[in-house]
Amino acid sequence: MKAGYIFYALLVVFIVSSCHGARLSTKNFVAINDLAELNGKYINKENYLSNVFNITNREIDMDVINLEFSGKDSLIISYIDTIGYKKLALKGKRKENFFQVYFQNLRFYLFPVFVMNQIDRIRIGKDKDGNLLIYKWDEHYGMIFPMAGGTTDDEYQVSFGRYDKNVEEGLYAVKINDKWGYADKEDQIVISPVYEYAHPFKNGLAKVGRNKRWGYIDSLQNEVIPVIYEVIMKPEDDVMRVRKDGKWGIIDFQNNELAAPQYDLIKAFYSNHNDSLKVSLAEVHRNGKIGYVNKQGRKVIPVEYDEIEWGWYGIGTGHYRSKSGDKYGFVSRNGVLCKPIFDKAGRELGYNGFSPKNRDLVKEIGTYTEVIYKGERYLFTEKGKLYKYKKLGFFKENRLVVELDSGFYPE
C-alpha cells in the first residue's frame, strides 16, 4: 500500500512538472546598488506595464506609471485616473538584482489525488540598457487524479523606457513648485507649469487638469478643449465621454458637443466583434431609465426602458427583448422594432423552436419569437408583424410545425 502511494505521488509530480516549462532565467537583470535606481515615470505603452501590475483600466488614460521604491520591501505605484492620482502600495522582497512581488502564491498538494498552483509573480530590475525590466509569471493549475487537470501558464519579460527619455512628440511633463508644465528635449520649459495633472502629448494634444477640472491643450498651450470638465474619459476613436455639472455628454477633439451633458451616466461605447459594420453604441442612463446613443450623439434607442437584454456577445445584429414596467418590446442596434406592448416575450428573435409549414413563408417573415399580446399567443417577426398560429404537430429536431394566418401590425 505504501509503495503504491509513493508511486502515485511520484506520478503526480512527474505530470505536474511535465506540464510546466523552466522558469525564465534572471541573467538579464544587471546589478543594482539601490532599488531607488528604478524610481521614475515609465511609459505604459499598449497597457503592458499596467498589465503586469494587474491595474489596467481601459476606460482611463493610464499613459505613464510612476514607481517609487522605499527600503527593501516596499513599492508605491501611482498614476493619474479620471479625477486625480491613484496609488497602490505593494510589499515584496529585494533579491540580488531584482525586486520580487507575489500578487498570488497559493500551492496546495494532497498527494496523490489533488494538486493546485495559483501563482502571480513579478520580478522588477534593470536591463543592460538601463531600462526597467520586468518578468511576469502567471500560472493557474489544478488536477484531480486520475481525472485530467487544467492549466494556464503565461511567462514573459518586457522592458520599459523612462518617460522623459522616450518622448515621441518632443515635449514631456515636468513638475516645478508642485505644478506641472512641459519641457522639450533640451529640457527647456515651453509650457508654463500651471497644472495639477499633466498627461503625455498624443497626436499634438495633451490632457491636463487644473482646479479639479480637465481639458486638452496643444503644444502652444492653447486650450483646444477647455479645462472645464469634471471628468474626461479615455478617447474612443475620436470622441470622449465627459461629465460637467454632474451630467454626462459626448464631445470630439474639435470641441464639438455631440451630446450635451444631460445623462446621469454614459457607459463605454461597444461594438460586437462579429459585426462587420462595427456599429458602436453606448448605454445612457437618465432618471432611472436606459437607452442607447451612437458616436454622433444621436439617440438610437430612446431613454425610456428599464432593461434591454442583448445577446450573449453583446450588441449583435439581431432583435432583442426590451422592458418597461411589466411590458416587453424589441429593439436592435438600429433602433426600436416594437415598443413594450407584450405581456410576455422570448428573449430574442431567431429561427429556433417553430418551423412554419410553408418554407417560403420562413423567408417572408424572417426571424421570430413567441409573444403574448392582449392575452393571446402570437409569433412576432423581425418585420414588426404579429401572426396567429395553429399547431399542426412536430417534425424532426422536435420543432413545432405551425400554420399562420395573414398577420397584422400591432397598434
Side-chain angles (χ1 to χ4, degrees), residues 338-342 373-374 384 386 408-411:
C338 181
K339 291 185 175 182
I341 59 173
F342 303 124
Y373 177 60
K374 295 183 178 180
L386 284 172
F408 67 97
Y409 293 98
E411 299 175 0

Side-chain angles (χ1 to χ4, degrees), residues 180-182 189-195 221:
W180 289 90
Y182 292 86
I189 303 299
V190 295
I191 293 179
S192 56
V194 296
Y195 306 105
Q221 207 167 355

Side-chain angles (χ1 to χ4, degrees), residues 171-300:
L171 300 179
Y172 69 95
V174 292
K175 193 174 187 180
I176 301 174
N177 297 327
D178 291 328
K179 296 290 184 180
W180 289 90
Y182 292 86
D184 60 21
K185 292 184 177 180
E186 285 71 43
D187 298 326
Q188 299 297 311
I189 303 299
V190 295
I191 293 179
S192 56
V194 296
Y195 306 105
E196 279 92 42
Y197 309 100
H199 283 268
F201 270 85
K202 283 184 179 179
N203 302 317
L205 300 177
K207 183 179 177 181
V208 294
R210 184 176 59 209
N211 300 325
K212 297 183 179 180
R213 295 294 184 269
W214 298 87
Y216 277 82
I217 61 172
D218 62 18
S219 59
L220 300 177
Q221 207 167 355
N222 298 312
E223 291 189 2
V224 177
I225 295 176
V227 186
I228 60 174
Y229 295 102
E230 297 155 2
V231 176
I232 299 180
M233 301 302 289
K234 185 176 181 178
E236 298 170 82
D237 295 329
D238 56 349
V239 304
M240 294 160 288
R241 293 169 288 140
V242 297
R243 191 180 74 195
K244 182 181 179 184
D245 299 327
K247 296 295 183 181
W248 289 86
I250 302 170
I251 63 173
D252 62 19
F253 278 109
Q254 287 70 49
N255 197 32
N256 295 312
E257 196 174 73
L258 305 177
Q262 58 186 290
Y263 301 109
D264 301 323
L265 175 67
I266 303 180
K267 293 187 177 182
F269 281 94
Y270 175 84
S271 60
N272 193 307
H273 68 277
N274 292 320
D275 177 10
S276 60
L277 297 179
K278 299 301 180 185
V279 175
S280 291
L281 298 179
E283 182 179 306
V284 296
H285 293 221
R286 185 170 58 202
N287 299 327
K289 299 291 185 178
I290 67 171
Y292 282 80
V293 299
N294 61 19
K295 286 187 176 179
Q296 290 72 48
R298 183 177 67 86
K299 297 174 187 174
V300 177

Side-chain angles (χ1 to χ4, degrees), residues 231-410:
V231 176
I232 299 180
M233 301 302 289
K234 185 176 181 178
E236 298 170 82
D237 295 329
D238 56 349
V239 304
M240 294 160 288
R241 293 169 288 140
V242 297
R243 191 180 74 195
K244 182 181 179 184
D245 299 327
K247 296 295 183 181
W248 289 86
I250 302 170
I251 63 173
D252 62 19
F253 278 109
Q254 287 70 49
N255 197 32
N256 295 312
E257 196 174 73
L258 305 177
Q262 58 186 290
Y263 301 109
D264 301 323
L265 175 67
I266 303 180
K267 293 187 177 182
F269 281 94
Y270 175 84
S271 60
N272 193 307
H273 68 277
N274 292 320
D275 177 10
S276 60
L277 297 179
K278 299 301 180 185
V279 175
S280 291
L281 298 179
E283 182 179 306
V284 296
H285 293 221
R286 185 170 58 202
N287 299 327
K289 299 291 185 178
I290 67 171
Y292 282 80
V293 299
N294 61 19
K295 286 187 176 179
Q296 290 72 48
R298 183 177 67 86
K299 297 174 187 174
V300 177
I301 299 175
V303 191
E304 55 188 43
Y305 296 94
D306 298 319
E307 186 178 359
I308 295 176
E309 301 178 75
W310 299 105
W312 293 110
Y313 300 103
I315 301 173
T317 57
H319 299 84
Y320 304 92
R321 184 169 64 186
S322 60
K323 184 179 181 182
S324 181
D326 60 353
K327 299 293 184 181
Y328 297 92
F330 289 92
V331 300
S332 75
R333 65 180 187 179
N334 298 316
V336 177
L337 175 62
C338 181
K339 291 185 175 182
I341 59 173
F342 303 124
D343 301 315
K344 290 184 178 180
R347 180 166 179 168
E348 62 182 285
L349 274 59
Y351 293 106
N352 297 325
F354 292 92
S355 178
K357 185 179 179 180
N358 189 326
R359 290 288 179 177
D360 294 333
L361 193 57
V362 175
K363 298 179 181 179
E364 178 186 333
I365 67 174
T367 56
Y368 51 85
T369 191
E370 188 178 20
V371 299
I372 295 180
Y373 177 60
K374 295 183 178 180
E376 298 287 338
R377 291 184 181 273
Y378 295 91
L379 292 188
F380 179 70
T381 73
E382 65 181 49
K383 298 180 180 179
K385 203 169 183 180
L386 284 172
Y387 291 88
K388 193 73 176 176
Y389 65 91
K390 182 171 64 174
K391 298 179 182 179
L392 300 180
F394 290 91
F395 83 126
K396 64 178 182 178
E397 298 179 354
N398 292 324
R399 291 190 177 184
L400 185 63
V401 180
V402 299
E403 184 176 75
L404 306 181
D405 65 6
S406 57
F408 67 97
Y409 293 98

